[in-house]
């Protein structure tokens, strides 16, 4: 998130004035066994940071359709609770796991929520900590009220390229249009089935 843009400080002031922290949904409580799941001989991995669980549902749907391993990232806590606790998307922040062995995977999907029209810092920090050499990468995100600007999408993709990966797709889902979580999962499954050939090749369907 670039806070130097003229409109964003004004937004921050309004959020503070009207107590927006009170209208931010609380973080989801995640059990340790919900952070990771594996599939025998999986060649794809879905990695997600999700504060309230919405983007995690999108990631789980992708994992089911692809037969992929699943990994949910965690931070120190408090990120995204309000404007003032949301780190800039370009910041390097602690994320766990910090580094993941990716040798067995040909396809890696990495995603998280958009905060203030920018990718969240935890997903971005994870990307910049990995060796993605030779990997096909799908970036994905959920948003509510506004997509990322094209120039931000381009820079996000460039970080993957900087780690040796190749972005083959970018997927965003507008939660506001879908309402309930069940509809979000259905839309994610639809997208995954629709793009399966692009992601893993027709010969592997």
């Amino acid at each position: 998130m670039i806070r130097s843009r003229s409109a964003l400080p004004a937004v921050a002031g309004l959020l503070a004035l009207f107590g927006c922290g009170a209208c931010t949904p609380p973080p989801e409580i995640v059990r340790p066994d919900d952070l990771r799941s594996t599939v025998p001989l999986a060649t794809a991995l879905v990695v997600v940071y999700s504060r309230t669980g919405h983007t995690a549902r999108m990631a789980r749907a992708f994992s089911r359709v692809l037969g992929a391993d699943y990994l949910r990232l965690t931070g120190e806590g408090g990120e995204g609770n309000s404007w003032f606790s949301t780190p800039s998307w370009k910041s390097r922040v602690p994320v766990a796991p910090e580094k993941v062995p990716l040798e067995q995977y040909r396809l890696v999907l990495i995603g998280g929520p958009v905060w203030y029209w920018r990718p969240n810092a935890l997903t971005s920090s994870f990307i910049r900590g990995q060796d993605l050499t030779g990997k096909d990468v799908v970036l994905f995100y959920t948003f509510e009220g506004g997509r990322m600007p094209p120039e931000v999408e381009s820079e996000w993709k460039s970080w993957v390229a900087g780690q040796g990966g190749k972005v083959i797709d970018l997927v965003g889902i507008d939660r506001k249009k879908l309402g309930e979580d069940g509809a979000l999962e259905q839309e994610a499954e639809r997208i995954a089935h629709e793009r399966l050939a692009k992601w893993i090749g027709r010969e592997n369907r």
Side-chain angles (χ1 to χ4, degrees), residues 130-178:
Q130 308 311 303
D131 180 2
L132 297 171
T133 302
K135 307 301 178 185
D136 288 339
V137 176
V138 174
L139 296 175
F140 65 93
Y141 62 95
T142 58
F143 65 100
E144 190 173 11
R147 285 183 173 271
M148 289 186 286
E151 64 272 18
V152 175
E153 289 188 354
S154 295
E155 186 167 1
W156 202 29
K157 292 177 182 179
S158 75
W159 292 351
V160 173
Q163 300 304 118
K166 177 184 178 182
V167 177
I168 61 170
D169 206 356
L170 189 149
V171 180
I173 291 182
D174 186 349
R175 292 198 302 106
K176 184 177 288 187
K177 291 183 178 179
L178 296 174

Side-chain angles (χ1 to χ4, degrees), residues 50-122:
S50 183
R51 179 181 169 275
T52 58
H54 298 296
T55 320
R57 292 178 179 88
M58 180 181 181
R60 283 285 192 187
F62 286 167
S63 178
R64 285 194 300 271
V65 173
L66 290 166
D69 288 350
Y70 169 87
L71 175 65
R72 182 164 174 173
L73 305 172
T74 59
E76 291 187 321
E79 306 93 345
N81 287 355
S82 72
W83 169 275
F84 301 102
S85 66
T86 301
S88 166
W89 74 290
K90 295 187 178 184
S91 300
R92 295 294 293 266
V93 299
V95 60
E98 182 178 5
K99 196 170 183 64
V100 175
L102 299 173
E103 291 81 6
Q104 78 181 79
Y105 305 112
R106 186 170 61 84
L107 174 67
V108 183
L109 297 88
I110 307 172
V114 165
W115 290 340
Y116 306 105
W117 309 282
R118 303 292 185 269
N120 69 85
L122 291 98

